Amino acid sequence: MPAFVQEIRIQLPHIDLAARVYGPEDGQPVLALHGWLDNCMTFELLAPKLQGLRIVAIDMAGHGHSGHRAPGAGYQLWDYALDALMATQQLGWEKFSLLGHSLGGIVSVLIAASVPERVERVALIDGLVPDTGEADKAAKKLGEALLAQIDLAAKKKTVYASIEQAVQVRMRGFMPVSQLASELLAQRGLSPVAGGYSWSSDARLTLPSPLRLTMAHAAAFVQAVQCPMLLVLAEQGVLVKEPQFMQFLNTLSLDVQRLPGGHHLHLDDEEGAQAVAEQVQAFFSTQ
């Protein structure tokens, strides 16, 4: 482990969160939030390239080395937002900035919009707003989510014979990543079990959302952000493939920088991490 990286635990009243800390103690405080089914190793290539920042990259609840939520609890966006805000209080940060990838970017927007007096800057990597759903589909979606939650108890996690097999499968997942990215995520995401290895993330993370924000809700949250906000958009990522999202993006007054690479462009290779770092560094260096 590099000398400038620390492992810490943040004890909240309802859950313990694990985190990796990068950068000098007197750097600008930045809370880094990773994507769905990833962990804080998603920032392992990027964070060391950012100067003057004190980056605390947490494993969000149910991911990595952090605790899982209690039985009966869930993993809604606002639950993550509460965890993050409470974590900054434990860290003694009156004001802070946010660095979020994918799901972590969505949660970052919710936090910045909801408590604007606490947030100084928001840097997003291929994440801005969640998948939305309009009112006429709400009842059907809730029914699907409730039944999926009931059925989850009968499902078993996949066990891989080796770490290498798990890495290869993760590379070809819903959001494909490079071998380097998969290996880094596996370092923190795999646990030994009977017969091999399994991802330690909470199985409830795969459940469908019982209720989605409408497009009007999503727009209102983005428009409520009062601090400077940067979106690094991956040209081969998931967002640019969604016509509705791109139409929505064109209606916003937002600093958008497009870079080559996939959804995990900051983690897939050193070149992508450097390109993202240059944009993020410039963003945090401006007055």
Side-chain angles (χ1 to χ4, degrees), residues 37-39 62-64 68 157-160 162-171 177 181-193 196-203 205:
L37 295 181
D38 290 344
N39 54 63
H63 298 78
H68 293 187
K157 280 192 173 184
T158 302
V159 176
Y160 302 95
S162 65
I163 292 176
E164 291 74 18
Q165 182 188 20
V167 166
Q168 290 297 315
V169 172
R170 177 64 183 86
M171 289 171 62
V177 297
S182 186
E183 289 172 348
L184 287 169
L185 294 172
Q187 284 182 28
R188 203 170 181 92
L190 286 178
S191 295
V193 296
Y197 297 85
S198 185
W199 291 96
S200 58
S201 51
D202 194 328
L205 294 170

